Amino acid sequence: MVLTIREGVLQVLIVKRGTEPYRGRYALPGGFIHHGETAAEAARRELLEETGLDGGSLPLEPISYYDAVDRDPRGRIVTFPFLAVAPDLPIPHSHCDSDAWAATWKPTATLLTDESILAFDHAQILADAVTVARNKLRYTTIATNFCPEEFTISELRAVYEAVWGLELDRANFHRKVKNATEFIVETGNVRPGAEGRLGRPAKLYRAGDGDELSSPILLTLSARRD
Amino acid sequence: MVLTIREGVLQVLIVKRGTEPYRGRYALPGGFIHHGETAAEAARRELLEETGLDGGSLPLEPISYYDAVDRDPRGRIVTFPFLAVAPDLPIPHSHCDSDAWAATWKPTATLLTDESILAFDHAQILADAVTVARNKLRYTTIATNFCPEEFTISELRAVYEAVWGLELDRANFHRKVKNATEFIVETGNVRPGAEGRLGRPAKLYRAGDGDELSSPILLTLSARRD
DNA sequence: GCAAAAGTGTTGTCGTTACACCCATGC
DNA sequence: GCATGGGTGTAACGACAACACTTTTGC
């Protein structure tokens, strides 16, 4: 499943199912693994087929599996979900193929509050994936995957605030991420002062080479009091 | 797979395969999932059948999966490994059933140095599992699973030292684990001074109710200098 | 100048490190 | 007493939360 930040909240890419069971209901994009294909390969193929999104550039991360015997009315089906974290992408075209139509972004909060929106046990799978994402923000550099190529530290902070649902202290966050090795690198550019933005222009950064943070970003990192 | 600490080093329970392919070679215990059975249920069943070990009391934790198309000469086979952490158990009886014979403990270091000892890609699976165990020591209370019902803090420290392969400062380790909430609880007993042990008798503890450590045990926790 | 947002300085607090030291036991 | 291992005290250090402050822009 693909997560992104849109309108300040965590959203997930879902499709309307075009076939039974659960025809017309929303579900996470996916499908059956072909012969001679790994789960990861199948995930990329189905993502492209159902949503038009080319996951070629996105790292897909396997997250557990679901093998309860009664989780699909068609019989014993094991699901291997993958988590991808993407910047705010344009809504992909509907491909109207046999499996799904109308790929769209939806806030995870909505889907997790009303678990009946998603078919199968996909609400549970989404919930687990969000937990994984929340934890990975702590000790990996995955947050930069939510951002475009170049981003400001404030935008990076907005990622943490959206996923964790709290407000962080600008000052301490700024220092922490700048001091973390291989997390972000200055590009030398600054945010173009277009469209009447006020205030001092922010330096632009891109993702560094590191995958893991030496010292984790704390959930309590300078959350303001009032 | 079942990990334990024996003779001061991390060891794993393996079996000699009784059937082709890789007949006579060592492998992690396991087998095929029956119809209407989850991977976890199959793991417990195979563990009992092949090694005589009743995993009923041991928590089995699923760790990833292996689905490369060429990992088994018989064809496309997906493996769902489980990690169990156990105290130093007596070597289980050989059950000599069709699948395996001669269950035995072997140091993980040996099996990881010479990857050809284990059949299939089991050396890789073991390596991944050891990494998981190493990390879980940091932020969970899993270390107590390596210990018997009652244990001393020194024994708990020996677990960390064996799995991490370094020496920790007794004093700081002692304080850290005693302060961690729900990690260990005093039983009121002390180590019976049998078998000519010297020194002050150690208090005995049992595992607390917690699963996660609020502040992680650091890899660098007071490793002595010289 | 004023507002807004970026970015820096500073202080108190708290956890950890690196030891030195004390305690309880067997011999 | 002495060796041995269990357990506690403590000063120096470092990271960080909290918040005040300075800088750079648009209007």
Side-chain angles (χ1 to χ4, degrees):
Chain A
M1 84 203 63
V2 187
L3 293 179
T4 196
I5 312 268
R6 284 174 72 85
E7 296 145 15
V9 298
L10 188 64
Q11 308 215 5
V12 61
L13 187 61
I14 55 176
V15 296
K16 253 193 176 142
R17 289 183 55 80
T19 56
E20 294 296 341
Y22 295 103
R23 187 167 206 275
R25 287 274 297 282
Y26 287 111
L28 299 170
F32 289 100
I33 298 171
H34 292 175
H35 289 294
E37 191 183 51
T38 64
E41 288 159 2
R44 279 186 203 283
R45 178 179 49 72
E46 289 284 348
L47 186 62
L48 183 61
E49 287 177 10
E50 294 194 350
T51 73
L53 196 72
D54 185 359
S57 53
L58 293 175
L60 295 191
E61 177 172 6
I63 41 172
S64 185
Y65 56 87
Y66 295 80
D67 76 331
V69 294
D70 59 351
R71 54 180 297 280
D72 191 305
R74 288 166 289 187
R76 178 66 183 280
I77 288 174
V78 179
T79 287
F80 301 89
F82 285 81
L83 173 61
V85 163
D88 188 355
L89 302 165
I91 295 182
H93 287 303
S94 239
H95 270 234
C96 299
D97 81 341
S98 59
D99 277 359
W101 24 284
T104 175
W105 297 106
K106 272 267 195 302
T108 57
T110 310
L111 300 171
L112 294 178
T113 306
D114 181 359
E115 296 189 1
S116 65
I117 299 174
L118 288 179
F120 307 107
D121 52 359
H122 285 191
Q124 183 60 52
I125 296 176
L126 174 62
D128 292 346
V130 169
T131 300
V132 167
R134 257 197 254 272
N135 287 328
K136 288 190 92 68
L137 282 194
R138 288 220 301 249
Y139 53 88
T140 76
T141 62
I142 199 179
T144 57
N145 294 357
F146 280 113
C147 298
E149 182 93 20
E150 290 201 326
F151 53 87
T152 67
I153 291 186
S154 285
E155 286 165 351
L156 186 63
R157 181 165 45 83
V159 169
Y160 282 86
E161 293 180 335
V163 177
W164 286 350
L166 44 78
E167 219 176 321
L168 301 175
D169 183 285
R170 285 187 303 111
N172 294 329
F173 184 85
H174 192 275
R175 255 181 304 242
K176 183 93 187 202
V177 299
K178 278 201 76 166
N179 290 344
T181 53
E182 309 220 298
F183 190 9
I184 57 174
V185 251
E186 249 176 82
T187 62
N189 305 328
V190 293
R191 151 115 319 149
E195 55 185 295
R197 267 187 68 271
L198 254 61
R200 177 173 174 176
K203 291 178 187 164
L204 287 169
Y205 299 82
R206 58 176 175 75
D209 291 331
D211 287 332
E212 299 207 343
L213 295 171
S214 47
S215 69
I217 307 283
L218 300 176
L219 266 160
T220 58
L221 185 67
S222 333
R224 295 302 286 237
R225 266 185 195 153
D226 74 328
Chain B
M1 83 204 65
V2 186
L3 294 179
T4 196
I5 312 269
R6 287 173 71 86
E7 296 144 17
V9 298
L10 188 63
Q11 308 215 4
V12 61
L13 186 61
I14 55 175
V15 296
K16 252 193 176 143
R17 289 183 55 80
T19 56
E20 294 297 340
Y22 294 104
R23 187 168 207 276
R25 287 274 295 284
Y26 287 112
L28 299 170
F32 288 100
I33 298 172
H34 292 175
H35 288 295
E37 191 183 51
T38 64
E41 288 159 1
R44 279 185 204 285
R45 178 179 49 72
E46 289 284 349
L47 186 61
L48 182 62
E49 286 178 9
E50 294 193 352
T51 73
L53 196 72
D54 184 0
S57 53
L58 291 176
L60 295 190
E61 176 171 9
I63 42 173
S64 185
Y65 56 87
Y66 295 80
D67 75 333
V69 294
D70 60 351
R71 55 180 297 281
D72 191 306
R74 287 165 290 185
R76 178 64 182 281
I77 289 176
V78 179
T79 286
F80 301 89
F82 286 81
L83 173 61
V85 163
D88 188 354
L89 302 165
I91 296 182
H93 286 304
S94 240
H95 272 234
C96 299
D97 81 342
S98 57
D99 276 1
W101 24 285
T104 175
W105 297 108
K106 272 267 195 303
T108 56
T110 311
L111 301 172
L112 294 177
T113 306
D114 182 358
E115 296 188 2
S116 65
I117 299 174
L118 288 179
F120 307 105
D121 53 359
H122 286 191
Q124 183 60 52
I125 296 175
L126 174 62
D128 293 346
V130 169
T131 299
V132 167
R134 257 197 256 272
N135 286 328
K136 288 190 93 65
L137 282 194
R138 288 220 300 248
Y139 54 87
T140 76
T141 62
I142 198 178
T144 57
N145 295 357
F146 280 112
C147 298
E149 183 94 20
E150 290 201 324
F151 53 88
T152 68
I153 290 186
S154 284
E155 287 166 349
L156 186 62
R157 181 166 44 84
V159 169
Y160 281 88
E161 293 180 335
V163 177
W164 287 349
L166 44 78
E167 218 175 323
L168 301 175
D169 182 284
R170 283 188 304 110
N172 294 330
F173 183 85
H174 194 276
R175 254 183 305 247
K176 181 94 188 199
V177 299
K178 278 201 76 168
N179 290 345
T181 53
E182 310 221 295
F183 190 8
I184 57 174
V185 255
E186 251 176 79
T187 63
N189 305 328
V190 293
R191 152 116 319 151
E195 56 183 295
R197 268 187 68 269
L198 257 65
R200 175 176 173 174
K203 290 179 187 161
L204 287 169
Y205 298 81
R206 58 176 174 76
D209 291 331
D211 287 331
E212 299 207 342
L213 295 172
S214 47
S215 70
I217 306 283
L218 301 175
L219 267 160
T220 58
L221 186 68
S222 333
R224 295 301 288 237
R225 266 184 195 151
D226 72 324

